[in-house]
Amino acid sequence: MTVAVDADVVVVGYGPVGCALSVLLTQFGRSVIALERWPEAYRLPRAVHFDHEVGRILQMCGIGEELRAISEPADLYEWRNGSGTTLLRFGTTGNGPSGWPASSMFNQPELERLLDGRGRELGVDVRRGVEVTGYEQLDDRVTVSTAEGATITGRYLVGCDGANSTVRSLAGLEATDLGFFYDWLIVDVLPHRPITWSPLNVQICDPQRPTTMVSGGPGRRRWEFMRLPGESIEELNTEATAWRLLAASDVRPDNARLERHTVYRFQARWVDGWRRGRVLLAGDAAHQMPPFAGQGMCAG
């Protein structure tokens, strides 16, 4: 006997991974309900890089031309010591094997806007402001419970709900943790005037303060500053500290706007099993990695 379900797949979490999965499944003829606990999309930058393989995946979602317009190629990546001497320089110009630049820099809210628009165009049933509290798994379906008292049934459930995944916790899936815990101040800046950064991406290997300087997408710039021993998160995560650290790059309140500053803990861990029956994990719910190679979202 065939049991009626609300959708083929229930996707929990509607960030880039959940959005892309919803779009691709729908294009393959599957019905999707996407549940997101936040009522609105997060408006500040997070991920800033994708590689040529992910460019092709996103192109498969039907947003190729629009994606090129909101991203810029990162042809060169340079590593310097604290004195400014170049230690390592690598990169490529032109397209990689997948037809996209080997590395591209972008703004995550703009990418999510493109994916969400494509998903709604295809008929993805997006339900925001819905918090998942439990599920029941049967032989042929999964019934999801929400904080509002509703139940939603799908043939499969995929948790794309981030590092603190509710789906992962409910499934009881254990993670292997490499014990890599470092706090970094992330600062996103919008310069008042266009600036040509050469090279586009730089890693400062300075024991006094390891620092990352990269594109945040066209017209944007990101700095990352490692928290030093004895420095509190509260002390580091202030606007005054951000401007003080940016001053070395000649970035000041009179020539740029601070879009975001936050302290983020870099981690390295993965879930030992990404599937339990009809319940699967994807994205940060399944694995986290330090962002130095820009592969966090790509892995998702």
Side-chain angles (χ1 to χ4, degrees):
M1 181 178 68
T2 302
V3 177
V5 296
D6 298 308
D8 290 318
V9 183
V10 177
V11 174
V12 178
Y14 200 58
V17 174
C19 280
L21 176 62
S22 298
V23 167
L24 292 171
L25 286 169
T26 304
Q27 289 182 163
F28 282 120
R30 306 301 180 185
S31 57
V32 176
I33 295 175
L35 307 178
E36 170 55 57
R37 68 188 181 106
W38 297 110
E40 295 182 358
Y42 192 68
R43 297 181 180 180
L44 296 177
R46 287 173 289 176
V48 293
H49 168 268
F50 64 87
D51 60 28
H52 66 95
E53 294 174 306
V54 171
R56 186 176 183 183
I57 291 170
L58 293 172
Q59 178 178 306
M60 286 171 59
C61 292
I63 61 168
E65 291 305 312
E66 296 93 335
L67 182 61
R68 291 186 187 276
I70 66 160
S71 61
E72 60 180 344
D75 296 336
L76 191 64
Y77 192 16
E78 189 168 287
W79 293 46
R80 302 171 181 166
N81 65 14
S83 302
T85 301
T86 298
L87 304 174
L88 179 68
R89 180 187 292 120
F90 60 91
T92 58
T93 58
N95 289 333
S98 296
W100 283 78
S103 293
S104 293
M105 311 304 291
F106 75 104
N107 174 258
Q108 182 172 333
E110 293 183 346
L111 172 62
E112 290 190 27
R113 176 181 55 81
L114 293 179
L115 286 170
D116 178 52
R118 176 61 173 162
R120 293 177 188 273
E121 176 186 290
L122 293 169
V124 175
D125 185 351
V126 181
R127 304 182 188 182
R128 288 194 169 274
V130 177
E131 183 178 357
V132 171
T133 56
Y135 71 79
E136 179 183 8
Q137 183 170 187
L138 302 174
D139 290 340
D140 58 351
R141 62 192 184 278
V142 182
T143 299
V144 180
S145 304
T146 73
E148 297 75 25
T151 58
I152 301 160
T153 302
R155 301 192 188 283
Y156 293 90
L157 166 64
V158 185
C160 304
D161 49 343
N164 300 313
S165 169
T166 296
V167 174
R168 183 184 66 227
S169 177
L170 291 170
L173 295 169
E174 300 296 327
T176 293
D177 198 317
L178 299 183
F180 184 90
F181 300 106
Y182 290 95
D183 297 319
W184 286 64
L185 173 66
I186 312 299
V187 182
D188 289 293
V189 170
L190 284 165
H192 292 336
R193 296 184 178 86
I195 299 175
T196 299
W197 302 94
S198 182
L200 190 64
N201 296 337
V202 182
Q203 190 77 39
I204 307 297
C205 306
D206 185 356
Q208 298 301 312
R209 172 87 74 176
T211 301
T212 301
M213 299 183 294
V214 297
S215 165
R220 287 180 160 87
R221 193 71 175 163
R222 169 171 291 181
W223 278 259
E224 300 173 357
F225 304 97
M226 184 177 172
R227 181 167 72 94
L228 302 180
E231 190 173 41
S232 71
I233 292 177
E234 292 74 22
E235 176 187 358
L236 184 63
N237 192 23
T238 68
E239 187 170 324
T241 298
W243 285 121
R244 175 172 59 82
L245 294 173
L246 290 169
S249 301
D250 198 30
V251 176
R252 310 177 306 274
D254 65 332
N255 64 16
R257 177 167 71 84
L258 205 62
E259 187 174 26
R260 180 184 76 143
H261 67 85
T262 188
V263 172
Y264 182 81
R265 173 158 288 187
F266 295 172
Q267 298 188 61
R269 59 180 181 172
W270 63 85
V271 176
D272 299 321
W274 297 354
R275 177 175 184 175
R276 180 154 291 173
R278 291 179 174 268
V279 178
L280 302 94
L281 299 178
D284 283 358
H287 38 66
Q288 290 177 268
M289 64 177 67
F292 300 115
Q295 290 296 308
M297 189 195 76
C298 295

